[in-house]
Amino acid sequence: ANNWLIEHNEFAFNAQMGMQFYKSGGGGPSNTVSRQNYFHDNCQATGSGSSFVISYQNNISEYDTVDLGACTTGIAVINSSPLNNTVRHASIYCPDASCTNGISINAAAVNTTVQNSVILGSFANPILNNGTGSTLAGNLTSGVTASDVWTNPVSRDFTLKAGSPAIDGGTNIGGSKCGALPDQGAFEVCGFSSASITGHTIDVTMENIYPPLQVFGPTGWSVACTPNPDACGTPVVVSATLLTGSGSVARLILAGVANTDCTTDQIWKV
């Protein structure tokens, strides 16, 4: 089938691959998008192979995360004369020495594009490119460790840590970004554009962000008055959640607030 959007799924603990765009006997799906899916612990029976296989033409993988597990290749562009396929903003991780290729482009593939992806770990080839007319741009594959880039790859937290070299490390390819350049990998780090306060609640509106944030918690937030930090007591964030139906507005619940007006000439700093 053509023209599918496959989004926000988890493909895990399968005997072979997690997902395959393929048709037996040739041909296959076209104009199909895999977006913000999470692949891990596949190839359980085979002990080798690919987590995600893209075949045929005009298909896209974007903002997908692949933790190889027993698989030896993260994303493979193979079979059925692949043409004009794209992998962008992927995060691909190999936790041990069993992996072969992060992304594999076989000799039959024509005009494959790989952009703004992070491929780190014990790969023999982060990108194995045997195709014709391939475009490889803005990818992070060497010179740093997985722990330099991601918050906690061992625990499968592939968000970008503070100071990550992947922040603003990509190349402009259109679409949303929160800095001068897009971040590399599946998660974009964004700042805040505005905030409003009512009582002990602050609603923080984030800058244009893609993919939308899905998980929040109180850890890592800092709230204070400025320029006089003592004017409002000792505020701490005890809850942080996304507003229903929103991917960009975080609601912070505070404790320890002495004066919600933050006194004259004071402003909240989040």
Side-chain angles (χ1 to χ4, degrees):
N2 302 323
N3 306 310
W4 280 78
L5 171 62
I6 303 167
E7 186 175 42
H8 296 157
N9 299 284
E10 184 174 6
F11 299 93
F13 299 104
N14 292 289
Q16 298 184 39
M17 63 204 73
M19 181 164 64
Q20 181 176 207
F21 294 172
Y22 181 69
K23 179 183 177 182
S24 180
S30 60
N31 302 311
T32 293
V33 176
S34 170
R35 178 183 297 154
Q36 212 174 346
N37 295 300
Y38 179 32
F39 301 81
H40 66 91
D41 294 295
N42 293 300
C43 306
Q44 292 284 302
T46 58
S48 63
S50 304
S51 283
F52 179 17
V53 172
I54 299 174
S55 304
Y56 207 45
Q57 60 189 22
N58 300 317
N59 296 303
I60 296 173
S61 163
E62 58 183 11
Y63 300 99
D64 286 330
T65 299
V66 181
D67 186 338
L68 267 72
C71 295
T72 50
T73 295
I75 299 176
V77 182
I78 58 175
N79 299 331
S80 303
S81 302
L83 175 66
N84 298 332
N85 294 297
T86 298
V87 178
R88 56 190 177 218
H89 288 285
S91 290
I92 303 177
Y93 174 57
C94 176
D96 54 45
S98 65
C99 306
T100 304
N101 306 308
I103 296 175
S104 177
I105 304 169
N106 81 349
V110 177
N111 297 341
T112 303
T113 299
V114 180
Q115 297 169 310
N116 292 350
S117 295
V118 178
I119 307 166
L120 293 173
S122 301
F123 289 106
N125 307 290
I127 301 176
L128 178 65
N129 176 31
N130 290 318
T132 301
S134 301
T135 298
L136 312 177
N139 302 298
L140 179 58
T141 62
S142 63
V144 294
T145 68
S147 296
D148 294 331
V149 176
W150 291 309
T151 300
N152 193 337
V154 174
S155 298
R156 295 174 172 166
D157 183 350
F158 295 101
T159 57
L160 301 181
K161 66 189 301 182
S164 170
I167 296 174
D168 290 354
T171 186
N172 275 319
I173 57 175
S176 299
K177 62 183 186 295
C178 294
L181 293 169
D183 298 343
Q184 295 162 302
F187 297 93
E188 181 82 7
V189 174
C190 290
F192 312 126
S193 59
S194 64
S196 62
I197 182 167
T198 305
H200 291 185
T201 300
I202 298 179
D203 288 341
V204 180
T205 301
M206 305 199 184
E207 296 173 356
N208 190 21
I209 179 168
Y210 190 86
L213 296 177
Q214 298 184 59
V215 178
F216 261 92
T219 303
W221 293 94
S222 173
V223 180
C225 277
T226 186
N228 180 9
D230 297 326
C232 307
T234 309
V236 294
V237 177
V238 295
S239 173
T241 57
L242 287 179
L243 295 186
T244 301
S246 169
S248 61
V249 180
R251 173 156 289 175
L252 311 183
I253 307 299
L254 307 181
V257 179
N259 185 342
T260 57
D261 293 330
C262 221
T263 72
T264 304
D265 298 325
Q266 300 290 317
I267 62 171
W268 283 102
K269 182 179 180 181
V270 180

